Amino acid sequence: MEAATSVTPEVRWKLEDIIALFDGVFGQTYDTRLIRGGDEPLYRPADYNTPYHQVIFARGFYASALHEISHWCIAGETRRQQEDYGYWYLPDGRNVEQQRAFEQAEIAPQALESLFTAACGREFYVSVDNLGGDADVDQHAFSEKVKARAERYVKAGLPLRARAFREALYRYYQAGQTLDQACTDGRKVLTA
């Protein structure tokens, strides 16, 4: 991928754009939409009241959107039929064992998030997400694990949906394509 263009951040990183890119690539094929949510992120499968799946990101944060998309890109068909993919989540305040489990589960999604963030021309920061816990968190060690996993994804190839979304991000943020063009190129990855 080539270097970022010289567009100002105010123009480049709008929530409406990330939503349009996600929905444009996955809305029809996977009946899934990216939704701006409240305090906590959530994945909600389609049901009687809502005929599409929802990747809900927290508080309108751009990084939260990329993170939740990363989880969705990893989740298999069965997991995508369950709320929050059927996984546990313990909020801030985890003990040592809980934090270790959390970090192990977060390596792959944060690795994808780092690749998505780079495709947007932004700087990535890992999240250990445990500011009030008992665990002594080694953020540097966790960061190195995330970086190593991202490098493995680059060498071995990203999961299909992650590859399609990264392509759309790159096309829009780095190559200067329109949202429609970037979405089209992302969808092409899905059908190649």
Side-chain angles (χ1 to χ4, degrees):
M1 294 189 180
E2 298 171 12
T5 58
S6 60
V7 179
T8 62
E10 299 81 37
V11 174
R12 294 185 74 205
W13 300 314
K14 296 179 188 172
L15 289 174
E16 296 81 16
D17 293 340
I18 198 78
I19 291 168
L21 287 165
F22 182 88
D23 292 358
V25 175
F26 303 115
Q28 288 188 304
T29 306
Y30 289 92
D31 293 322
T32 305
R33 294 185 188 166
L34 182 62
I35 307 293
R36 182 179 181 161
D39 288 341
E40 293 294 331
L42 178 69
Y43 172 76
R44 190 175 285 148
D47 60 21
Y48 180 75
N49 296 317
T50 308
Y52 52 87
H53 310 291
Q54 299 173 73
V55 176
I56 304 169
F57 64 99
R59 299 186 202 129
F61 292 142
Y62 197 93
S64 177
L66 293 178
H67 183 77
E68 296 311 312
I69 293 166
S70 299
H71 278 288
W72 182 80
C73 286
I74 292 171
E77 178 75 29
T78 302
R79 291 279 185 195
R80 293 192 316 269
Q81 300 308 313
Q82 301 173 59
E83 185 165 294
D84 256 357
Y85 314 108
Y87 289 118
W88 62 272
Y89 175 76
L90 293 172
D92 190 23
R94 292 180 288 276
N95 66 31
V96 174
E97 288 178 27
Q98 293 165 336
Q99 182 64 23
R100 191 174 300 127
F102 169 83
E103 289 179 13
Q104 189 60 37
E106 281 290 311
I107 292 170
Q110 289 197 36
L112 283 182
E113 180 187 352
S114 74
L115 297 173
F116 293 162
T117 302
C120 293
R122 291 174 58 111
E123 191 169 343
F124 172 73
Y125 303 95
V126 296
S127 173
V128 293
D129 193 31
N130 198 27
L131 301 175
D134 297 337
D136 184 22
V137 176
D138 185 347
Q139 188 162 345
H140 177 73
F142 179 63
S143 180
E144 289 300 311
K145 290 176 185 176
V146 169
K147 182 180 175 185
R149 183 64 180 106
E151 289 170 358
R152 284 201 325 265
Y153 272 135
V154 170
K155 287 179 187 171
L158 279 69
L160 179 63
R161 285 171 286 136
R163 195 166 61 242
F165 191 61
R166 184 178 181 218
E167 182 70 17
L169 292 171
Y170 173 77
R171 295 292 178 174
Y172 181 68
Y173 288 106
Q174 307 286 341
Q177 291 185 343
T178 66
L179 286 169
D180 286 340
Q181 291 169 325
C183 290
T184 298
D185 284 351
R187 286 191 305 271
K188 285 179 184 176
V189 172
L190 295 174
T191 59

